[in-house]
């Protein structure tokens, strides 16, 4: 008996509601900016000789964002009121099935991850 085992489709879902940086009250943004200015670990880490090339590149990229309290992020997707994580998982699973061109009856197991 032949069985297909493996990942046949990967799906995703992004909530339609978008929150841009101007949504945040100025006092919150100012607090983030203050905490960033007090973060000495980045400078100390850059001075170390034993950090990996990847870590060094990451720190260099962050240094370019100095003073940006959002660290390069321009928008976030926000789950609407009343929407459960399980609702989003179902939508992502449907997306995966559509991409893989399979029917629910053809699936024995679904693995889901929500960060």
């Amino acid at each position: 008996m032949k069985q297909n085992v493996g990942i046949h489709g990967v799906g995703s879902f992004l909530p339609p509601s978008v929150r841009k940086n101007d949504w945040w009250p100025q006092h919150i943004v100012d607090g983030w900016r203050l905490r960033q200015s007090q973060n000495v670990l980045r400078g100390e880490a850059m001075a170390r000789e034993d950090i990996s090339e990847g870590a060094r590149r990451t720190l260099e990229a962050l240094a370019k964002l100095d003073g940006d309290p959002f660290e390069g992020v321009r928008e976030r997707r926000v789950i609407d009121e009343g929407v459960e994580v399980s609702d989003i998982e179902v939508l992502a699973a449907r997306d995966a099935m559509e991409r893989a061109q399979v029917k629910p009856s053809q699936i024995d197991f679904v693995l889901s991850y929500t960060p």
Side-chain angles (χ1 to χ4, degrees):
M1 176 169 88
K2 180 180 176 185
Q3 288 188 332
N4 292 326
V5 176
I7 297 172
H8 295 273
V10 176
S12 64
F13 174 79
L14 291 174
S17 297
V18 177
R19 184 177 294 165
K20 297 191 179 220
N21 292 349
D22 61 1
W23 181 88
W24 300 96
Q26 190 60 46
H27 73 279
I28 298 292
V29 174
D30 291 342
W32 292 339
R33 193 171 272 124
L34 176 64
R35 277 195 298 283
Q36 281 179 331
S37 70
Q38 296 170 342
N39 185 345
V40 296
L41 294 179
R42 287 185 188 164
E44 288 177 10
M46 284 292 285
R48 291 179 52 173
E49 298 290 327
D50 63 339
I51 66 171
S52 70
E53 180 64 22
R56 186 173 310 284
R57 287 183 183 187
T58 300
L59 291 169
E60 287 171 359
L62 286 171
K64 292 176 185 175
L65 299 170
D66 189 36
D68 178 1
F70 300 101
E71 296 186 330
V73 176
R74 293 193 172 95
E75 66 180 35
R76 292 135 205 88
R77 297 294 172 144
V78 182
I79 299 172
D80 291 330
E81 189 75 30
V83 175
E84 300 292 332
V85 172
S86 58
D87 299 328
I88 293 171
E89 290 174 335
V90 167
L91 293 167
R94 287 183 180 153
D95 181 48
M97 288 185 294
E98 185 176 312
R99 290 172 189 242
Q101 299 179 353
V102 298
K103 298 175 188 165
S105 61
Q106 296 174 285
I107 299 173
D108 292 321
F109 178 76
V110 174
L111 178 64
S112 175
Y113 172 74
T114 305

